Amino acid sequence: MRSTILLISCASFLLAQAPRTREADELNWMEYKDLVPAKINTILFPTGTVEAHGVAHNGADSTVPTAIARRIAPGLNALVAPTLNYGITGSLEAFAGGIAISDEAYRAFTRDILRGFARHGIKNILIVNGHGGNTAALNAVAEEVGRNEKVRILIVNWWTYCSDLTFKIFGEDGGHAGWNETAMVQATTPQNIRKELYRDELATARGAAGTWTAYPFPSSIILYQPKQGYVKFDEVKAKEYFNSCSDKIAALGAEVIQKWDLAGLYVK
């Protein structure tokens, strides 16, 4: 009985300490100043792009990391930054609605955003990236800003970090707008999928390294392996995949922050 009372008391205390919202842009400046860094020193920054994704929406690379960030924010005691929806779109820019930001412009813009987080007291920046074309630029800018601003930055490309879960849950590899990524959309914003438009002919397996490339790529569903990753719209597996991927990313974030602290890196 005493243990139960203690657990309830602890839960009530944590609930009382929780911010009104974890969406950074929904806080006013006085609330933000009160929270950061005294009560919260971690922010989750979702990044993506706008490009074709088969029968899912063109914004899938942004809505998926945003959903992940929102799910894991309470456990990491983090705020969620506004999503950077535009990115460095490559071979799918030609498909209707695709928007491409130049590498130079993207680096300058993300650099200023990361600097802003740091200068207002954020200590840990966890970038949840949903688009591979952003990766090189994010890696370079994160190292630059981390060094200059003495801030700690972790970048997670959710689909590659969770590739083991793709095989575990679906029994095969996935692809860009393939079963795994479409499942993430199905689990988070199912209204953005048009199942009736899907057919396997919309997918093409990418060529093995050094064999062939094409611009534009002939399909917006790009399979990582031949005959694997065709979309099957399994709602149960979709939810399991989203939850498992989110939990894995949260665990990585918690571990990295703990080790940063243990090493005393950039501790003010």
Side-chain angles (χ1 to χ4, degrees), residues 197-217:
L197 297 178
Y198 178 79
R199 59 186 189 279
D200 286 350
E201 290 76 15
L202 291 172
T204 300
R206 66 186 179 189
T211 59
W212 66 273
T213 58
Y215 183 90
F217 199 81

Side-chain angles (χ1 to χ4, degrees), residues 54-67:
V55 298
H57 60 311
N58 286 3
D61 281 348
S62 298
T63 58
V64 169
T66 301

Side-chain angles (χ1 to χ4, degrees), residues 22-168:
R22 292 195 177 272
E23 303 293 324
D25 60 345
E26 293 180 359
L27 297 166
N28 66 46
W29 72 270
M30 292 171 282
E31 292 174 305
Y32 195 99
K33 184 179 179 181
D34 178 64
L35 289 170
V36 179
K39 299 173 184 176
I40 296 176
N41 63 7
T42 300
I43 198 161
L44 299 167
F45 181 30
T47 56
T49 199
V50 180
E51 67 178 16
H53 276 79
V55 298
H57 60 311
N58 286 3
D61 281 348
S62 298
T63 58
V64 169
T66 301
I68 293 171
R70 287 173 174 163
R71 185 177 188 275
I72 69 178
L76 294 173
N77 189 29
L79 295 177
V80 178
T83 303
L84 181 52
N85 295 296
Y86 293 103
I88 306 174
T89 296
S91 64
L92 298 182
E93 179 189 1
F95 284 77
I99 303 293
I101 304 301
S102 70
D103 184 85
E104 180 182 15
Y106 187 80
R107 291 185 186 222
F109 196 58
T110 54
R111 182 184 297 114
D112 284 349
I113 294 171
L114 298 180
R115 283 174 176 168
F117 294 152
R119 291 174 180 177
H120 285 286
I122 289 293
K123 176 55 59 179
N124 309 305
I125 303 170
L126 277 62
I127 300 175
V128 186
N129 182 39
H131 176 60
N134 299 337
T135 304
L138 288 173
N139 289 346
V141 172
E143 182 175 346
E144 175 190 340
V145 174
R147 179 181 295 109
N148 293 340
E149 302 294 335
K150 301 296 186 288
V151 65
R152 304 166 333 175
I153 306 175
L154 169 66
I155 303 169
V156 182
N157 297 315
W158 76 260
W159 68 101
T160 51
Y161 185 62
C162 297
S163 61
D164 59 324
L165 297 173
T166 301
F167 283 96
K168 178 181 178 181

Side-chain angles (χ1 to χ4, degrees), residues 72 76 126-127 154-157 161 245-260:
I72 69 178
L76 294 173
L126 277 62
I127 300 175
L154 169 66
I155 303 169
V156 182
N157 297 315
Y161 185 62
C245 290
S246 298
D247 291 347
K248 184 177 182 182
I249 292 168
L252 175 66
E255 179 184 1
V256 170
I257 291 172
Q258 181 184 42
K259 290 185 176 179
W260 277 333

Side-chain angles (χ1 to χ4, degrees), residues 227-238:
K227 300 181 181 180
Q228 296 186 32
Y230 291 105
V231 183
K232 298 180 178 63
F233 304 110
D234 186 315
E235 184 176 352
V236 173
K237 289 185 177 181

